[in-house]
Amino acid sequence: MVDVFIIGSKGIPAKYGGFETFVDQLTKEKKSDAIKYHVSCLANNDQEFDYQGVRCFNVKVPSLGSARAIIYDIMSMRRCIEYIRKNHLKKSIVYVLACRIGPTIAHYRRILHKLGAKIFLNPDGHEWLRSKWSKPVQIYWKISERLMIKNADLIICDSKGIEKYVIKCYSKYNPKTTFVAYGSETSRSPLKSDDPNFVSWLDKNKLKPKQYYLIVGRFVPENNYELMIKEFMASDSKKSLVIISNVNENKFYNRLINETHFKEDSRIKFVGTVYDRPLLQKIREEAYGYLHGHEVGGTNPSLLEALTSTQINLLLDVVFNKEVGADGALYFNKKRGDLARLINHADTLSAEVIERLDQYSSERIRKYYSWALIVNKYELLFTK
């Protein structure tokens, strides 16, 4: 029996982002009887509970701003070590999601190795490039990334682009890496086109099926909202641009208003968040096209879901997006007018071309990114 401890996500059942969904799917779809999962969960108590056969242990962390996530990972690591030692576990893996605790990882590596355990790492994306961080925090992220990669026994990259970056940038450490992609659902939404929830959502936002482009993602500058809004406004499209995101009326939002004047264009619609997964999937399926401007990080969950569900996908031309979309998407760069021209072109695509793009992208997700495939690869890694 291999005991696999997963730390770095907010925990399961998933209520948040990509890492939480990954852990939920990994444990829910488990096939191997040779693996026992232990998952750290951010909470306001220190209780343990069972969820779909997984030992989940809550970690109570005080509110300390941006430092809270670092403290959470450190406390989670200590709990893992305590459990391994107390239960005399002989074959354990601590799988750390993201590079938050680099300055402490050498210390914990020595302890874990003495206990016969190993550290696996998912480095996530280029966190140190995210504009939400101040310069000192970006410097910390970069240092922490280096130390995490230096001390991990295995680095699992969910993007080939990230794996190439790790091998090239940290070659002096001779990192042991492997590529296992993020996964995606491959089935269609259970909702019909006349489902009351979907019809109500359309009516509320004054939309019609196949008459809107869609953006889904975190409301942060590096996802290029300003570029996509400006370019859509410059296009001749008669369709709407629907933005599903956790929009806060903060400095970024106010800057968007001042830079784009999107409130003067009735086609631009910020519609808030949608946490009902079948409804969100149906919204994707009934969109005319999907716009994806992410440029920081590896394989993005919202991109996989779009390629599964939406017929036409317009992606920013960066290595992470091309790796996933390949020939099943259309690409734009950040030059002025390029996306506007692509939107105008997309509006004129024939039914045959749209069908071909849809079939290629959907088949690509089924072949390379289905959760069943990804879970199987992880189980082989953990047990071999």
Side-chain angles (χ1 to χ4, degrees):
M1 176 70 72
V2 179
D3 288 90
V4 178
F5 297 79
I6 303 177
I7 70 174
S9 78
K10 291 183 177 71
I12 52 177
K15 299 175 184 176
Y16 303 95
F19 273 147
E20 290 71 39
T21 301
F22 159 71
V23 177
D24 208 326
Q25 291 290 335
L26 179 68
T27 53
K28 182 173 70 176
E29 301 293 331
K30 182 172 83 78
K31 297 293 187 293
S32 174
D33 294 329
I35 298 172
K36 172 66 178 178
Y37 285 115
H38 311 254
V39 175
S40 174
C41 303
L42 184 63
N44 56 10
N45 61 67
D46 290 314
Q47 297 174 354
E48 292 188 9
F49 63 96
D50 181 274
Y51 174 69
Q52 56 196 30
V54 178
R55 174 184 161 263
C56 299
F57 58 99
N58 288 341
V59 179
K60 184 178 180 180
V61 185
S63 296
L64 297 168
S66 58
R68 190 183 193 210
I70 298 171
I71 302 301
Y72 169 54
D73 283 5
I74 290 173
M75 293 176 69
S76 299
M77 178 67 81
R78 289 175 178 172
R79 291 276 294 275
C80 293
I81 291 170
E82 178 186 321
Y83 190 91
I84 292 168
R85 183 181 281 139
K86 181 179 178 181
N87 292 277
H88 308 289
L89 302 182
K90 302 301 182 185
K91 293 171 68 178
S92 300
I93 295 166
V94 179
Y95 186 23
V96 185
L97 307 178
C99 298
R100 286 182 283 263
I101 55 172
T104 67
I105 199 65
H107 168 69
Y108 293 125
R109 181 178 188 261
R110 286 191 293 271
I111 296 172
L112 287 167
H113 280 194
K114 284 181 181 178
L115 294 170
K118 293 184 177 181
I119 297 175
F120 287 10
L121 169 69
N122 185 317
D124 200 10
H126 296 320
E127 190 67 30
W128 47 274
L129 281 177
R130 296 193 188 278
S131 60
K132 70 176 181 176
W133 301 122
S134 64
K135 196 65 178 178
V137 175
Q138 288 180 327
I139 292 170
Y140 173 85
W141 271 108
K142 187 62 175 170
I143 293 170
S144 188
E145 178 186 88
R146 176 176 63 81
L147 295 171
M148 291 294 291
I149 288 169
K150 178 182 178 182
N151 287 283
D153 295 296
L154 178 66
I155 298 150
I156 304 173
C157 304
D158 61 25
S159 159
K160 291 178 182 177
I162 290 293
E163 184 178 27
K164 289 177 183 177
Y165 159 77
V166 168
I167 292 170
K168 181 179 178 181
C169 191
Y170 299 107
S171 58
K172 65 180 178 181
Y173 301 132
N174 193 26
K176 183 180 180 183
T177 68
T178 190
F179 163 67
V180 184
Y182 192 87
S184 177
E185 297 284 356
T186 56
S187 59
R188 305 287 288 179
S189 171
L191 303 187
K192 304 296 183 183
S193 295
D194 60 353
D195 185 275
N197 283 349
F198 177 57
V199 173
S200 174
W201 182 86
L202 289 173
D203 291 344
K204 176 184 173 183
N205 296 295
K206 299 179 181 178
L207 295 166
K208 294 181 179 180
K210 301 302 180 185
Q211 292 300 309
Y212 60 91
Y213 285 85
L214 183 65
I215 299 174
V216 180
R218 287 193 301 172
F219 191 62
V220 290
E222 60 265 23
N223 289 349
N224 285 295
Y225 280 95
E226 183 177 335
L227 170 72
M228 292 187 289
I229 291 171
K230 279 184 174 179
E231 291 291 307
F232 193 90
M233 291 173 67
S235 77
D236 299 323
S237 182
K238 298 295 189 291
K239 298 176 176 62
S240 296
L241 176 62
V242 175
I243 300 167
I244 295 179
S245 186
N246 57 326
V247 176
N248 295 313
E249 296 195 12
N250 52 21
K251 289 181 180 178
F252 176 46
Y253 182 80
N254 291 328
R255 194 185 84 203
L256 271 183
I257 293 174
N258 294 330
E259 293 292 329
T260 67
H261 304 287
F262 68 80
K263 289 195 171 185
E264 298 172 14
D265 191 327
S266 62
R267 295 175 299 170
I268 311 300
K269 297 177 182 288
F270 281 87
V271 299
T273 52
V274 177
Y275 292 117
D276 182 332
R277 293 196 67 82
L279 174 59
L280 180 57
Q281 191 174 359
K282 187 63 180 176
I283 292 168
R284 292 183 191 276
E285 291 171 3
E286 295 295 341
Y288 180 78
Y290 184 81
L291 273 60
H292 189 76
H294 291 51
E295 64 176 328
V296 174
T299 304
N300 182 266
S302 65
L303 173 56
L304 295 177
E305 291 163 2
L307 290 166
T308 302
S309 304
T310 310
Q311 291 181 303
I312 305 171
N313 290 277
L314 314 183
L315 317 181
L316 181 63
D317 190 352
V318 294
V319 62
F320 308 116
N321 297 338
K322 293 203 77 169
E323 173 189 319
V324 178
D327 293 334
L330 306 174
Y331 297 90
F332 63 91
N333 58 48
K334 296 173 77 170
K335 292 179 182 177
R336 185 175 180 179
D338 192 67
L339 176 55
R341 284 190 292 271
L342 187 60
I343 292 168
N344 290 338
H345 171 66
D347 275 353
T348 65
L349 291 176
S350 66
E352 291 76 18
V353 171
I354 294 173
E355 179 68 19
R356 187 163 66 245
L357 285 169
D358 186 29
Q359 287 184 354
Y360 189 94
S361 61
S362 298
E363 179 59 28
R364 184 165 176 78
I365 296 300
R366 281 191 292 271
K367 189 173 181 180
Y368 297 108
Y369 296 96
S370 72
W371 278 121
L373 177 70
I374 302 309
V375 169
N376 181 62
K377 288 184 176 181
Y378 265 101
E379 293 191 353
L380 289 173
L381 272 181
F382 291 149
T383 56
K384 75 178 181 181

